[in-house]
PDB file of all heavy atoms in Angstrom:
ATOM      1  N   THR A 254     -92.751  32.253 -15.798  1.00  0.00           N
ATOM      2  CA  THR A 254     -93.210  33.382 -16.606  1.00  0.00           C
ATOM      3  C   THR A 254     -92.081  34.327 -17.007  1.00  0.00           C
ATOM      4  O   THR A 254     -92.318  35.302 -17.721  1.00  0.00           O
ATOM      5  CB  THR A 254     -94.280  34.188 -15.845  1.00  0.00           C
ATOM      6  OG1 THR A 254     -93.761  34.591 -14.571  1.00  0.00           O
ATOM      7  CG2 THR A 254     -95.541  33.362 -15.646  1.00  0.00           C
ATOM      8  N   ASP A 255     -90.885  34.048 -16.553  1.00  0.00           N
ATOM      9  CA  ASP A 255     -89.711  34.862 -16.888  1.00  0.00           C
ATOM     10  C   ASP A 255     -88.596  33.916 -17.322  1.00  0.00           C
ATOM     11  O   ASP A 255     -87.981  33.244 -16.493  1.00  0.00           O
ATOM     12  CB  ASP A 255     -89.281  35.684 -15.666  1.00  0.00           C
ATOM     13  CG  ASP A 255     -88.046  36.537 -15.941  1.00  0.00           C
ATOM     14  OD1 ASP A 255     -87.505  36.471 -17.062  1.00  0.00           O
ATOM     15  OD2 ASP A 255     -87.616  37.248 -15.020  1.00  0.00           O
ATOM     16  N   GLN A 256     -88.336  33.861 -18.613  1.00  0.00           N
ATOM     17  CA  GLN A 256     -87.359  32.908 -19.121  1.00  0.00           C
ATOM     18  C   GLN A 256     -85.924  33.300 -18.811  1.00  0.00           C
ATOM     19  O   GLN A 256     -84.993  32.540 -19.115  1.00  0.00           O
ATOM     20  CB  GLN A 256     -87.563  32.697 -20.621  1.00  0.00           C
ATOM     21  CG  GLN A 256     -88.928  32.125 -20.937  1.00  0.00           C
ATOM     22  CD  GLN A 256     -88.983  31.377 -22.251  1.00  0.00           C
ATOM     23  OE1 GLN A 256     -88.004  30.823 -22.715  1.00  0.00           O
ATOM     24  NE2 GLN A 256     -90.158  31.359 -22.862  1.00  0.00           N
ATOM     25  N   GLN A 257     -85.720  34.459 -18.197  1.00  0.00           N
ATOM     26  CA  GLN A 257     -84.387  34.827 -17.735  1.00  0.00           C
ATOM     27  C   GLN A 257     -84.035  34.091 -16.438  1.00  0.00           C
ATOM     28  O   GLN A 257     -82.864  34.007 -16.072  1.00  0.00           O
ATOM     29  CB  GLN A 257     -84.302  36.340 -17.507  1.00  0.00           C
ATOM     30  CG  GLN A 257     -84.572  37.169 -18.748  1.00  0.00           C
ATOM     31  CD  GLN A 257     -83.644  36.818 -19.902  1.00  0.00           C
ATOM     32  OE1 GLN A 257     -82.427  36.779 -19.733  1.00  0.00           O
ATOM     33  NE2 GLN A 257     -84.223  36.574 -21.071  1.00  0.00           N
ATOM     34  N   GLN A 258     -85.054  33.567 -15.757  1.00  0.00           N
ATOM     35  CA  GLN A 258     -84.811  32.805 -14.533  1.00  0.00           C
ATOM     36  C   GLN A 258     -84.646  31.329 -14.874  1.00  0.00           C
ATOM     37  O   GLN A 258     -85.364  30.794 -15.726  1.00  0.00           O
ATOM     38  CB  GLN A 258     -85.974  32.959 -13.549  1.00  0.00           C
ATOM     39  CG  GLN A 258     -86.160  34.358 -12.999  1.00  0.00           C
ATOM     40  CD  GLN A 258     -87.158  34.370 -11.855  1.00  0.00           C
ATOM     41  OE1 GLN A 258     -87.161  33.477 -11.014  1.00  0.00           O
ATOM     42  NE2 GLN A 258     -87.989  35.391 -11.809  1.00  0.00           N
ATOM     43  N   ALA A 259     -83.708  30.677 -14.211  1.00  0.00           N
ATOM     44  CA  ALA A 259     -83.468  29.258 -14.449  1.00  0.00           C
ATOM     45  C   ALA A 259     -84.477  28.407 -13.680  1.00  0.00           C
ATOM     46  O   ALA A 259     -84.811  28.711 -12.526  1.00  0.00           O
ATOM     47  CB  ALA A 259     -82.052  28.889 -14.020  1.00  0.00           C
ATOM     48  N   LEU A 260     -84.953  27.359 -14.323  1.00  0.00           N
ATOM     49  CA  LEU A 260     -85.838  26.415 -13.655  1.00  0.00           C
ATOM     50  C   LEU A 260     -85.052  25.578 -12.655  1.00  0.00           C
ATOM     51  O   LEU A 260     -83.915  25.192 -12.922  1.00  0.00           O
ATOM     52  CB  LEU A 260     -86.484  25.482 -14.674  1.00  0.00           C
ATOM     53  CG  LEU A 260     -87.504  26.092 -15.632  1.00  0.00           C
ATOM     54  CD1 LEU A 260     -87.815  25.119 -16.755  1.00  0.00           C
ATOM     55  CD2 LEU A 260     -88.779  26.480 -14.899  1.00  0.00           C
ATOM     56  N   PRO A 261     -85.632  25.275 -11.496  1.00  0.00           N
ATOM     57  CA  PRO A 261     -84.927  24.435 -10.519  1.00  0.00           C
ATOM     58  C   PRO A 261     -84.844  22.984 -10.991  1.00  0.00           C
ATOM     59  O   PRO A 261     -85.807  22.437 -11.529  1.00  0.00           O
ATOM     60  CB  PRO A 261     -85.788  24.566  -9.261  1.00  0.00           C
ATOM     61  CG  PRO A 261     -87.154  24.927  -9.755  1.00  0.00           C
ATOM     62  CD  PRO A 261     -86.934  25.742 -10.999  1.00  0.00           C
ATOM     63  N   THR A 262     -83.683  22.387 -10.810  1.00  0.00           N
ATOM     64  CA  THR A 262     -83.477  20.994 -11.221  1.00  0.00           C
ATOM     65  C   THR A 262     -82.811  20.168 -10.129  1.00  0.00           C
ATOM     66  O   THR A 262     -82.443  19.019 -10.367  1.00  0.00           O
ATOM     67  CB  THR A 262     -82.597  20.925 -12.493  1.00  0.00           C
ATOM     68  OG1 THR A 262     -81.336  21.557 -12.218  1.00  0.00           O
ATOM     69  CG2 THR A 262     -83.270  21.599 -13.669  1.00  0.00           C
ATOM     70  N   ASN A 263     -82.669  20.734  -8.933  1.00  0.00           N
ATOM     71  CA  ASN A 263     -81.950  20.051  -7.856  1.00  0.00           C
ATOM     72  C   ASN A 263     -82.866  19.332  -6.884  1.00  0.00           C
ATOM     73  O   ASN A 263     -82.415  18.846  -5.846  1.00  0.00           O
ATOM     74  CB  ASN A 263     -81.086  21.061  -7.091  1.00  0.00           C
ATOM     75  CG  ASN A 263     -79.977  21.631  -7.947  1.00  0.00           C
ATOM     76  OD1 ASN A 263     -79.399  20.922  -8.772  1.00  0.00           O
ATOM     77  ND2 ASN A 263     -79.684  22.921  -7.764  1.00  0.00           N
ATOM     78  N   GLY A 264     -84.145  19.268  -7.205  1.00  0.00           N
ATOM     79  CA  GLY A 264     -85.083  18.600  -6.323  1.00  0.00           C
ATOM     80  C   GLY A 264     -85.721  19.545  -5.328  1.00  0.00           C
ATOM     81  O   GLY A 264     -85.204  20.630  -5.058  1.00  0.00           O
ATOM     82  N   VAL A 265     -86.851  19.116  -4.786  1.00  0.00           N
ATOM     83  CA  VAL A 265     -87.592  19.932  -3.830  1.00  0.00           C
ATOM     84  C   VAL A 265     -86.836  20.010  -2.515  1.00  0.00           C
ATOM     85  O   VAL A 265     -86.340  19.005  -2.003  1.00  0.00           O
ATOM     86  CB  VAL A 265     -88.999  19.322  -3.603  1.00  0.00           C
ATOM     87  CG1 VAL A 265     -89.708  20.042  -2.461  1.00  0.00           C
ATOM     88  CG2 VAL A 265     -89.810  19.395  -4.876  1.00  0.00           C
ATOM     89  N   GLN A 266     -86.732  21.217  -1.971  1.00  0.00           N
ATOM     90  CA  GLN A 266     -86.096  21.424  -0.676  1.00  0.00           C
ATOM     91  C   GLN A 266     -87.168  21.714   0.368  1.00  0.00           C
ATOM     92  O   GLN A 266     -87.972  22.634   0.187  1.00  0.00           O
ATOM     93  CB  GLN A 266     -85.118  22.598  -0.745  1.00  0.00           C
ATOM     94  CG  GLN A 266     -84.023  22.427  -1.782  1.00  0.00           C
ATOM     95  CD  GLN A 266     -83.132  23.655  -1.881  1.00  0.00           C
ATOM     96  OE1 GLN A 266     -82.640  24.146  -0.869  1.00  0.00           O
ATOM     97  NE2 GLN A 266     -82.944  24.163  -3.088  1.00  0.00           N
ATOM     98  N   GLU A 267     -87.162  20.941   1.419  1.00  0.00           N
ATOM     99  CA  GLU A 267     -88.195  21.087   2.451  1.00  0.00           C
ATOM    100  C   GLU A 267     -88.179  22.488   3.037  1.00  0.00           C
ATOM    101  O   GLU A 267     -87.124  23.026   3.402  1.00  0.00           O
ATOM    102  CB  GLU A 267     -87.977  20.056   3.552  1.00  0.00           C
ATOM    103  CG  GLU A 267     -89.086  20.055   4.600  1.00  0.00           C
ATOM    104  CD  GLU A 267     -88.912  18.949   5.616  1.00  0.00           C
ATOM    105  OE1 GLU A 267     -87.989  18.130   5.462  1.00  0.00           O
ATOM    106  OE2 GLU A 267     -89.729  18.904   6.568  1.00  0.00           O
ATOM    107  N   GLY A 268     -89.348  23.113   3.093  1.00  0.00           N
ATOM    108  CA  GLY A 268     -89.481  24.439   3.685  1.00  0.00           C
ATOM    109  C   GLY A 268     -89.108  25.579   2.775  1.00  0.00           C
ATOM    110  O   GLY A 268     -89.166  26.742   3.191  1.00  0.00           O
ATOM    111  N   VAL A 269     -88.724  25.282   1.538  1.00  0.00           N
ATOM    112  CA  VAL A 269     -88.328  26.322   0.587  1.00  0.00           C
ATOM    113  C   VAL A 269     -89.343  26.366  -0.554  1.00  0.00           C
ATOM    114  O   VAL A 269     -89.609  25.351  -1.199  1.00  0.00           O
ATOM    115  CB  VAL A 269     -86.926  26.046   0.007  1.00  0.00           C
ATOM    116  CG1 VAL A 269     -86.572  27.091  -1.052  1.00  0.00           C
ATOM    117  CG2 VAL A 269     -85.883  26.035   1.122  1.00  0.00           C
ATOM    118  N   ILE A 270     -89.914  27.538  -0.780  1.00  0.00           N
ATOM    119  CA  ILE A 270     -90.851  27.696  -1.894  1.00  0.00           C
ATOM    120  C   ILE A 270     -90.026  27.960  -3.153  1.00  0.00           C
ATOM    121  O   ILE A 270     -89.300  28.948  -3.221  1.00  0.00           O
ATOM    122  CB  ILE A 270     -91.827  28.848  -1.639  1.00  0.00           C
ATOM    123  CG1 ILE A 270     -92.683  28.548  -0.394  1.00  0.00           C
ATOM    124  CG2 ILE A 270     -92.731  29.080  -2.848  1.00  0.00           C
ATOM    125  CD1 ILE A 270     -93.548  29.708   0.054  1.00  0.00           C
ATOM    126  N   PRO A 271     -90.102  27.106  -4.161  1.00  0.00           N
ATOM    127  CA  PRO A 271     -89.247  27.247  -5.340  1.00  0.00           C
ATOM    128  C   PRO A 271     -89.663  28.422  -6.218  1.00  0.00           C
ATOM    129  O   PRO A 271     -90.769  28.957  -6.091  1.00  0.00           O
ATOM    130  CB  PRO A 271     -89.458  25.914  -6.078  1.00  0.00           C
ATOM    131  CG  PRO A 271     -90.810  25.464  -5.653  1.00  0.00           C
ATOM    132  CD  PRO A 271     -90.976  25.916  -4.235  1.00  0.00           C
ATOM    133  N   ASN A 272     -88.757  28.822  -7.113  1.00  0.00           N
ATOM    134  CA  ASN A 272     -89.056  29.982  -7.952  1.00  0.00           C
ATOM    135  C   ASN A 272     -90.069  29.668  -9.051  1.00  0.00           C
ATOM    136  O   ASN A 272     -90.411  30.543  -9.840  1.00  0.00           O
ATOM    137  CB  ASN A 272     -87.779  30.582  -8.550  1.00  0.00           C
ATOM    138  CG  ASN A 272     -87.118  29.709  -9.604  1.00  0.00           C
ATOM    139  OD1 ASN A 272     -87.625  28.658  -9.995  1.00  0.00           O
ATOM    140  ND2 ASN A 272     -85.950  30.141 -10.071  1.00  0.00           N
ATOM    141  N   THR A 273     -90.570  28.429  -9.084  1.00  0.00           N
ATOM    142  CA  THR A 273     -91.672  28.110  -9.996  1.00  0.00           C
ATOM    143  C   THR A 273     -93.020  28.601  -9.460  1.00  0.00           C
ATOM    144  O   THR A 273     -94.015  28.565 -10.188  1.00  0.00           O
ATOM    145  CB  THR A 273     -91.753  26.594 -10.245  1.00  0.00           C
ATOM    146  OG1 THR A 273     -91.750  25.909  -8.985  1.00  0.00           O
ATOM    147  CG2 THR A 273     -90.568  26.121 -11.076  1.00  0.00           C
ATOM    148  N   TYR A 274     -93.046  29.044  -8.208  1.00  0.00           N
ATOM    149  CA  TYR A 274     -94.254  29.672  -7.674  1.00  0.00           C
ATOM    150  C   TYR A 274     -94.539  30.947  -8.475  1.00  0.00           C
ATOM    151  O   TYR A 274     -93.665  31.792  -8.657  1.00  0.00           O
ATOM    152  CB  TYR A 274     -94.060  30.000  -6.189  1.00  0.00           C
ATOM    153  CG  TYR A 274     -95.029  31.033  -5.668  1.00  0.00           C
ATOM    154  CD1 TYR A 274     -96.386  30.740  -5.545  1.00  0.00           C
ATOM    155  CD2 TYR A 274     -94.592  32.315  -5.320  1.00  0.00           C
ATOM    156  CE1 TYR A 274     -97.282  31.699  -5.083  1.00  0.00           C
ATOM    157  CE2 TYR A 274     -95.469  33.270  -4.857  1.00  0.00           C
ATOM    158  CZ  TYR A 274     -96.822  32.958  -4.739  1.00  0.00           C
ATOM    159  OH  TYR A 274     -97.704  33.905  -4.297  1.00  0.00           O
ATOM    160  N   VAL A 275     -95.778  31.073  -8.959  1.00  0.00           N
ATOM    161  CA  VAL A 275     -96.191  32.239  -9.742  1.00  0.00           C
ATOM    162  C   VAL A 275     -97.032  33.146  -8.848  1.00  0.00           C
ATOM    163  O   VAL A 275     -98.112  32.740  -8.393  1.00  0.00           O
ATOM    164  CB  VAL A 275     -97.012  31.825 -10.983  1.00  0.00           C
ATOM    165  CG1 VAL A 275     -97.432  33.057 -11.781  1.00  0.00           C
ATOM    166  CG2 VAL A 275     -96.207  30.872 -11.857  1.00  0.00           C
ATOM    167  N   PRO A 276     -96.577  34.364  -8.563  1.00  0.00           N
ATOM    168  CA  PRO A 276     -97.305  35.248  -7.649  1.00  0.00           C
ATOM    169  C   PRO A 276     -98.763  35.451  -8.057  1.00  0.00           C
ATOM    170  O   PRO A 276     -99.055  35.871  -9.170  1.00  0.00           O
ATOM    171  CB  PRO A 276     -96.521  36.565  -7.735  1.00  0.00           C
ATOM    172  CG  PRO A 276     -95.136  36.157  -8.094  1.00  0.00           C
ATOM    173  CD  PRO A 276     -95.308  34.989  -9.023  1.00  0.00           C
ATOM    174  N   GLY A 277     -99.656  35.099  -7.134  1.00  0.00           N
ATOM    175  CA  GLY A 277    -101.080  35.355  -7.337  1.00  0.00           C
ATOM    176  C   GLY A 277    -101.788  34.439  -8.304  1.00  0.00           C
ATOM    177  O   GLY A 277    -102.983  34.620  -8.552  1.00  0.00           O
ATOM    178  N   ARG A 278    -101.100  33.442  -8.852  1.00  0.00           N
ATOM    179  CA  ARG A 278    -101.704  32.646  -9.923  1.00  0.00           C
ATOM    180  C   ARG A 278    -103.006  31.980  -9.504  1.00  0.00           C
ATOM    181  O   ARG A 278    -104.037  32.142 -10.165  1.00  0.00           O
ATOM    182  CB  ARG A 278    -100.714  31.584 -10.410  1.00  0.00           C
ATOM    183  CG  ARG A 278    -101.278  30.674 -11.508  1.00  0.00           C
ATOM    184  CD  ARG A 278    -100.228  29.704 -12.028  1.00  0.00           C
ATOM    185  NE  ARG A 278     -99.720  28.827 -10.976  1.00  0.00           N
ATOM    186  CZ  ARG A 278     -98.807  27.875 -11.179  1.00  0.00           C
ATOM    187  NH1 ARG A 278     -98.288  27.709 -12.403  1.00  0.00           N
ATOM    188  NH2 ARG A 278     -98.393  27.121 -10.185  1.00  0.00           N
TER     189      ARG A 278
END
């Protein structure tokens, strides 16, 4: 929802919630 933030492209990291999580969605 914020195009100033870069999308993750390095693969899923175990135990880490990626910044693609949308608060409250």
Side-chain angles (χ1 to χ4, degrees):
T254 55
D255 179 358
Q256 298 204 28
Q257 300 303 309
Q258 294 190 41
L260 291 168
T262 59
N263 294 323
V265 172
Q266 302 176 51
E267 185 175 355
V269 176
I270 297 172
N272 70 5
T273 51
Y274 161 69
V275 180
R278 178 176 60 179

